[in-house]
Amino acid sequence: MEPRMDNPAFISLISLSMIFFATALGSSFVFFFRKSLSPRMKALILGFAGGIMISASFFGLSMPSIEESKSSTVYASFSFLPPLVGFLLGAFLLYGLDKIIPHFHKLQNVEEGPKNVALSKNFRFFLAVTLHNIPEGLAIGFACGLALSHIGETGVAALCYSAFSLALGIAIQNVPEGAAVSIPMFSDGMKKNKAFLFGTGSGAVEPLFGVAALFLAQLEVITPWLLSFAAGAMIYVTLDEVLPEAREDGCTHFAMWSFLIGFSLMMVLEVVLA
């Protein structure tokens, strides 16, 4: 496998590895810090990552879904259905999982899903992070799978860069996310090694679901549905989790401008590399 940025297999390996190791890097902060990142720094990092994720969801997932659906002879005059229905299904799935899996949102101090007093708040927060990492893994897998399905065709390099950019945005926000899991667990009395493993484990679902999505994306007839599904799930997670956390403690404008910069950067890369 030649290590080139226009090689879909290489990009898939790098992207799926990067998002996992970013979570592990953030979790390792438990060995060096007793407190999480400052609110201002979190606002800058999460706002920037949120901008990249929203932009990449549109340019790297929704737009390819529309193009794949329009070019398919299967859907004909109903080519709008896969992008539309897939997008809504992705969002509804995350909403449904929010209701059936017990987890805790620290920022809003709100518990969702069935009440389970046997689980600590930190463990329920771990479940929340793990739950919301699933669509991120799916998004990377589908984006990389789309590039793999177009090997040898014109435009495959643009698909590779799009998948990599999406993975980069997710990796950036995975760093503070990993720290947000491991450091509170240590502060509540858990040993550092165990807290690190919990933080790292919250990101393990990303490459696992990413690999599954990679293979599913090779089924061309359902590719538009899968891409839009991942886009809907990704945007739901970003709006529900990443951006609200970026705006905590009054750091609204830091988060907003960081978001705009992240979105603009991703948009420019899509235009230049397309």
Side-chain angles (χ1 to χ4, degrees), residues 64-271:
S65 171
I66 293 171
E67 292 168 4
E68 291 285 316
S69 185
K70 288 172 67 176
S71 64
S72 174
T73 58
V74 175
Y75 304 110
S77 58
F78 295 97
S79 60
F80 65 91
L81 281 178
L84 173 63
V85 177
F87 183 85
L88 294 176
L89 284 176
F92 276 122
L93 174 66
L94 266 294
Y95 176 78
L97 291 176
D98 271 343
K99 299 304 178 183
I100 64 175
I101 297 178
H103 59 283
F104 177 70
H105 293 275
K106 284 191 173 182
L107 177 60
Q108 297 92 346
N109 195 31
V110 171
E111 293 188 34
E112 288 191 313
K115 298 294 185 293
N116 191 330
V117 295
L119 300 177
S120 68
K121 281 190 174 182
N122 279 331
F123 188 78
R124 291 198 294 273
F125 178 64
F126 161 80
L127 289 177
V129 172
T130 303
L131 167 66
H132 288 166
N133 278 340
I134 292 175
E136 296 174 3
L138 291 174
I140 297 300
F142 292 143
C144 291
L146 181 63
L148 281 170
S149 67
H150 286 76
I151 289 179
E153 299 179 16
T154 303
V156 68
L159 293 175
C160 288
Y161 281 107
S162 180
F164 179 78
S165 299
L166 179 61
L168 180 61
I170 292 174
I172 290 172
Q173 69 96 22
N174 278 356
V175 175
E177 195 172 75
V181 174
S182 63
I183 293 177
M185 286 186 164
F186 167 66
S187 299
D188 283 354
M190 185 179 289
K191 292 184 178 180
K192 285 186 175 182
N193 288 339
K194 190 174 180 180
F196 168 74
L197 290 176
F198 266 101
T200 302
S202 69
V205 296
E206 290 186 345
L208 291 176
F209 278 83
V211 170
L214 199 67
F215 288 102
L216 284 173
Q218 305 312 303
L219 304 173
E220 293 187 11
V221 69
I222 63 170
T223 297
W225 297 86
L226 298 177
L227 290 170
S228 59
F229 179 90
M234 272 277 291
I235 290 177
Y236 181 95
V237 167
T238 306
L239 296 178
D240 183 53
E241 195 71 26
V242 177
L243 294 183
E245 188 172 346
R247 295 163 63 91
E248 71 174 323
D249 294 334
C251 297
T252 301
H253 289 97
F254 282 97
M256 181 183 71
W257 283 107
S258 186
F259 172 89
L260 292 173
I261 291 171
F263 187 96
S264 300
L265 175 63
M266 185 66 213
M267 180 173 60
V268 169
L269 288 175
E270 288 287 344
V271 173

